[in-house]
Every structure is written in structure tokens, then in C-alpha cells.
Amino acid sequence: MSIAVQDARALLTKGLVAVYKEMPKTTSFLRSFFTVKESMTEKVSIEVRRGSEKVAVDVTRYDDGNLNIVSKSTEKLIKPPMYDEYIIANDHELYQVAVGAIQTGQGETYFKQLIDGLAEDMSMSVDKIYRAMEKQAADVLETGVVSLTNNANIDYGRKAASLVAYGAARDFSIATVNPKEVFLTALKFIREKGKAQGSVYNAILGGEVLSALFSNPLFQAEGDLKDWSLDSIREPQRNSVGGTLHGQISVGSYKVNLWTYPEVYDLAGAQVPYINEKKMIIIPETTNFVMAFSAVPQLIENGGVIPQKGAILMTEYFDMKKTAHEMHAKSCPIAIPVAVDQIHTTTVLN
Amino acid sequence: MSTGTVVKDTSNQLNINIDSSFIFLGSNSYERATYANGTGSTVTMLAGTIMGRVSSSGLLLPLAIGATDGSQHFVGVLTETVTVINGDSKQVSLCIEGKVAQDKLVFNAAEDLESVVDGRQLKDIIAGQGIKLVATDELSNFDN
């Protein structure tokens, strides 16, 4: 490849006045509902014992009483998928410059730029993994099935009643539909089947669902009631993890925070929202979900370097014969809805 | 003894329902007896099966109220699940006394606790032998 002429004339004919590097950071709104647990094992497991709300039956004075037993539970073992993203450091545009500059006395300057550049490239690679985690969380909340490409999907078996398909009776864009009835159905499921006992819930709405809700005349009418303060819709407030809070409404005996999450990921050139635009997800304010990290395969190296646990494992590999310097980011995460029936998803719009 | 039932098994997911409930709940006494399989095929009898005894041979059989060979009479509750191939015989353990979980009893096809043998219901016959049947209320359940 020939050397471009402008390489030699650049300083004389032009000046670089600004640089824009498009590096959208990954937000973590959906992951924020999952508690992080790290493990040094290949698999992770949860043990779940579902409970009941039975009522004691009175007995006579000369009765042996009612014998209660607590003997059933389910153990779920999961081998999390592995993500492995890497760059080739010596392919970086500044790598050879830095090597060459060592002879000129400017090596330190170029080396710092190289390190910054490699750090940026690795950061973008790591963001891909974080987006995969965020998508796992979205999958759990939307369907209960973590969709994987090169591994079997992980299906948490959400109850059919927690995955409500579209129906005109639940369509917020129809003027006669009362959205709060739809909310209440979801809240009753989470309370009765999921055994959640809080009074405040989070509703994560697709963008179109939010618009339809705010345009619904029955919803608007309730907000207009004089001397009642059932709902509080305010200007959108973005929080630090990317969720946008639109206010709080009252539904039956509960309060519901209205959230949207206007974040997307790239898929085959298209931008896909993490939260389906036509769906509504409701979860308790205090969730019982886990983002578990199992061990990334590692060796005990010479010199006593022991395997590490953590969310992301950064490793470097040098191959002197092939003159290759690879930098890898590896992770084995899995989003787990420990209390699986404390999620309710409704397809609101067609 | 706990039992585990695999309800999902994929390359990266294994779900097991675990039941750690007991059949024999206390103050139990046991005895050993012989079961001989002459059915023509392998037989598996589950723990909790109520057993009778053939009068002429002294061998056990699962209790059948319609039998006339003596196996219509209750002698005990099988303590462990056993599998016996055709033509083979095996020593098995029976519970003959104490508290037994009523819902863990395993009957032959037609029987239940109200089945009548010689004018008495099975539950009375079992109680008369010193076995106290206890109804249990399970407060837990398996996950989805």
C-alpha cells in the first residue's frame, strides 16, 4: 500500500479542530432491578420454595392438631452463556507509530495515546457485553426466556397468566378502555400468584404505550378530578441508569411508578428498543432478581496467578511468533428472576 | 427420604423438583417379610404401599380387597420402593406401628381407606393395628 500524499502535507494545509467519537455508553436501567452475585463455579443455582397463604382451621380441645409440613422446593441449575469480545492491540493505528517513536524520543507521548486508544476500544467491546446483559434482563421481563444465539435458550417458565397477549379490552388507545383496570389485573397477579406484598410497583412502558396511556380519555378524566390527588404526572425525569420517570398513579390499593426506557441496541442494522414499544411490564418496587456471574474458564498460571471471579474478566495474550497481542473481555452472566411470578407483561397495543 | 424429579433438562439448564416429605412420622415399628414376584413381569412397589399376606405361604402381596388368599388383610405399610424381577423374591421392610402420613399411602388399583374388608373399613383395620394415620397440610410448593 502506498503512502498517502496528505500524510506528508497535513500540518501545512489543514488543522484538526475537533474529534467526535461516537461511543454510546450502555445504560443499566433494567439490570438495576437485578442484584449482582459472583461465583467461581461453572454453573450457578437457585433454590426456590413456593409458599402458601392457608388459614388455620379450628380444632376441638381433644384433637391432635393439624400437622403442617414444608417439604417441596425446586432447584434450578444454570450454565450461563459466555461472552468473549477482543481486539488485536498491534492492529491499532498508533501501535507501530509508538514503536517507531521510541527511536525519536517521543515514544512516551505516543505510548500514552496508544494506551488511551486501546482503552477506548476495549471499553466499546465491554459495552457490547453490558448490552447483552441488559438484553438478558429485557428478555426476562418481557417473556421469561433468555434468548441466546449459540446456546439453548434459558426458559424460566413464567405462568401463562403473566404473559397477556393483545386484546381490544386492554388497548389503551381505545377510548372506552380504562387503563387502570389493565394495571389492576397485573397487580393482582403479582400479589396473588407472586406473593409480593409491597404497595408500590414499577411499570415499565413501551414508548407507544405511554403515549396511548396519556391520550386515553378515561385516564385523563381521573387526573382531572377536583380535590382528589390520585395521580401525579410530571415532566420526564431521567435517572442515572437510563430510565425515565413520568410520575406515579394510584391503582386500586397500590401506587405505580410510570417508567419508560428509551434505549436501543443495534441488530442487523436496525435499532431495537430493549422494551417493546407496545408492551407494559410491571414488577414490585423491591425485586427478587439476580444477575449472576459464573466463572470464566481460566488456568492457574506460572507465577501463581490464580483464577479470578467477577463480572468482566480482562485478559491479554501475547504470541511472539505471530506478533500478535490480543486483549479479551470475557464474562459469563445470566439474568435470573428468582421470584419469577413477580413479573407481569401485557401487550397493550396491536 | 428426599426425592428429586427432573422437570427440565437442556444443555445449560436443569430444574429439579425436590420433595423431602416423610411417610413415617414417628413412634414407628417395623418388621421384615418376603415378597416373591410370580406375576410374569418385573414389579415395582412404591414406598407407602399397603400390604397383605398370603395365608398359605406367608409371602407378602399388595393388599387387594377382592382376594381370598389372605392378602385382603392388612399387615403393614411398605417402607421403601422396591423393584423385583419376575421369579425373584426380596426381603422388604414393613411399618406395623406408629404415625403414618395418610396422603402417602399407596393403594392397589381399587382400594381406598373406605374400602370394606370383612365388614370393616380399611382405615379402621389399619388403626386397629396400631397405625395412626395423620393428615398433613403441605405449606410449600414447587416453582414454575
Side-chain angles (χ1 to χ4, degrees):
Chain A
M1 186 173 71
S2 60
I3 299 172
V5 174
Q6 60 266 33
D7 275 2
R9 302 195 61 189
L11 293 175
L12 301 177
T13 59
K14 65 185 178 186
L16 183 66
V17 295
V19 173
Y20 171 58
K21 296 180 179 178
E22 192 171 69
M23 293 176 61
K25 300 303 292 181
T26 311
T27 50
S28 58
F29 178 60
L30 302 179
R31 277 179 287 150
S32 70
F33 297 109
F34 292 72
T35 305
V36 170
K37 303 271 185 182
E38 296 170 353
S39 134
M40 271 302 287
T41 53
E42 181 194 33
K43 303 175 193 69
V44 295
S45 76
I46 60 169
E47 187 151 342
V48 179
R49 187 174 70 203
R50 301 300 295 266
S52 64
E53 295 175 287
K54 293 181 177 179
V55 177
V57 177
D58 58 292
V59 298
T60 64
R61 295 290 187 277
Y62 304 100
D63 194 289
D64 279 349
N66 297 313
L67 175 61
N68 297 295
I69 58 173
V70 182
S71 62
K72 292 182 178 178
S73 62
T74 300
E75 182 171 9
K76 298 181 175 181
L77 284 91
I78 301 163
K79 184 161 71 175
M82 190 169 104
Y83 301 92
D84 183 354
E85 300 292 326
Y86 74 101
I87 61 172
I88 299 174
N90 51 298
D91 280 353
H92 193 279
E93 58 196 358
L94 285 177
Y95 197 93
Q96 299 306 333
V97 175
V99 171
I102 292 172
Q103 307 297 325
T104 69
Q106 293 182 311
E108 191 175 340
T109 302
Y110 284 111
F111 191 73
K112 284 179 181 172
Q113 289 182 13
L114 172 64
I115 296 299
D116 288 346
L118 290 174
E120 280 184 2
D121 291 359
M122 277 309 290
S123 175
M124 293 169 77
S125 301
V126 169
D127 275 342
K128 284 178 70 180
I129 298 176
Y130 282 133
R131 284 188 200 99
M133 295 179 201
E134 195 70 355
K135 185 175 177 303
Q136 282 190 10
D139 285 349
V140 166
L141 296 176
E142 185 177 336
T143 64
V145 181
V146 175
S147 173
L148 301 171
T149 303
N150 292 304
N151 291 279
N153 292 346
I154 294 174
D155 186 350
Y156 293 110
R158 283 179 54 184
K159 286 188 169 69
S162 78
L163 298 163
V164 179
Y166 173 77
R170 295 177 290 274
D171 188 332
F172 294 175
S173 68
I174 296 174
T176 54
V177 170
N178 184 346
K180 289 197 175 180
E181 297 291 335
V182 182
F183 278 90
L184 193 56
T185 300
L187 294 168
K188 282 172 68 73
F189 175 88
I190 295 173
R191 170 61 192 89
E192 294 173 8
K193 303 298 181 188
K195 307 298 183 193
Q197 294 188 296
S199 62
V200 180
Y201 290 80
N202 287 317
I204 306 168
L205 311 178
E208 293 180 28
V209 175
L210 182 81
S211 298
L213 176 67
F214 285 178
S215 302
N216 182 282
L218 294 177
F219 183 75
Q220 290 174 342
E222 194 161 310
D224 282 343
L225 289 172
K226 281 184 180 173
D227 298 328
W228 291 25
S229 184
L230 295 174
D231 304 338
S232 173
I233 304 298
R234 302 180 58 84
E235 73 281 8
Q237 288 183 307
R238 195 85 187 265
N239 70 3
S240 61
V241 289
T244 302
L245 181 65
H246 298 271
Q248 189 178 67
I249 62 173
S250 62
V251 180
S253 301
Y254 309 102
K255 289 194 259 187
V256 179
N257 297 318
L258 299 179
W259 295 90
T260 54
Y261 186 45
E263 291 296 319
V264 296
Y265 59 90
D266 292 342
L267 181 66
Q271 281 65 55
V272 182
Y274 287 102
I275 297 297
N276 188 309
E277 294 283 309
K278 300 178 187 300
K279 293 190 178 184
M280 173 176 77
I281 296 159
I282 298 185
I283 54 178
E285 185 181 41
T286 303
T287 55
N288 192 351
F289 310 145
V290 167
M291 181 65 76
F293 295 90
S294 69
V296 169
Q298 300 166 69
L299 299 175
I300 300 173
E301 297 178 42
N302 290 335
V305 177
I306 58 171
Q308 305 290 313
K309 72 176 180 179
I312 305 279
L313 184 74
M314 309 292 286
T315 51
E316 287 185 87
Y317 303 101
F318 294 90
D319 187 331
M320 295 304 185
K321 185 176 181 183
K322 295 178 180 172
T323 323
H325 175 188
E326 293 182 0
M327 303 171 79
H328 287 245
K330 299 180 183 179
S331 183
C332 297
I334 185 65
I336 305 173
V338 181
V340 68
D341 286 337
Q342 293 187 359
I343 310 170
H344 191 281
T345 308
T346 307
T347 303
V348 174
L349 301 174
N350 201 9
Chain B
M1 189 175 71
S2 296
T3 57
T5 305
V6 174
V7 291
K8 179 180 273 293
D9 188 2
T10 71
S11 60
N12 51 7
Q13 196 176 10
L14 178 67
N15 291 0
I16 307 168
N17 284 344
I18 298 167
D19 184 346
S20 58
S21 59
F22 293 94
I23 300 174
F24 308 103
L25 303 173
S27 306
N28 299 107
S29 297
Y30 306 94
E31 70 174 29
R32 299 193 73 78
T34 304
Y35 170 82
N37 182 2
T39 63
S41 56
T42 298
V43 167
T44 295
M45 296 180 294
L46 300 175
T49 300
I50 62 169
M51 305 295 287
R53 193 190 319 268
V54 178
S55 307
S56 57
S57 63
L59 297 172
L60 297 175
L61 278 180
L63 186 147
I65 56 170
T68 56
D69 58 0
S71 65
Q72 72 273 30
H73 298 299
F74 174 78
V75 293
V77 180
L78 194 65
T79 59
E80 293 179 308
T81 297
V82 291
T83 298
V84 185
I85 62 173
N86 182 45
D88 204 358
S89 63
K90 199 173 253 185
Q91 284 268 303
V92 297
S93 174
L94 294 179
C95 172
I96 56 170
E97 187 178 28
K99 291 182 177 178
V100 176
Q102 182 175 310
D103 62 325
K104 297 287 184 184
L105 292 181
V106 178
F107 295 94
N108 218 345
E111 290 79 15
D112 59 30
L113 286 172
E114 276 74 45
S115 297
V116 175
V117 179
D118 290 345
R120 297 174 69 200
Q121 288 194 341
L122 264 179
K123 62 183 176 187
D124 296 323
I125 295 169
I126 292 171
Q129 187 163 317
I131 286 182
K132 166 75 172 169
L133 294 178
V134 180
T136 58
D137 195 4
E138 174 65 64
L139 300 185
S140 60
N141 211 340
F142 302 122
D143 199 12
N144 296 359

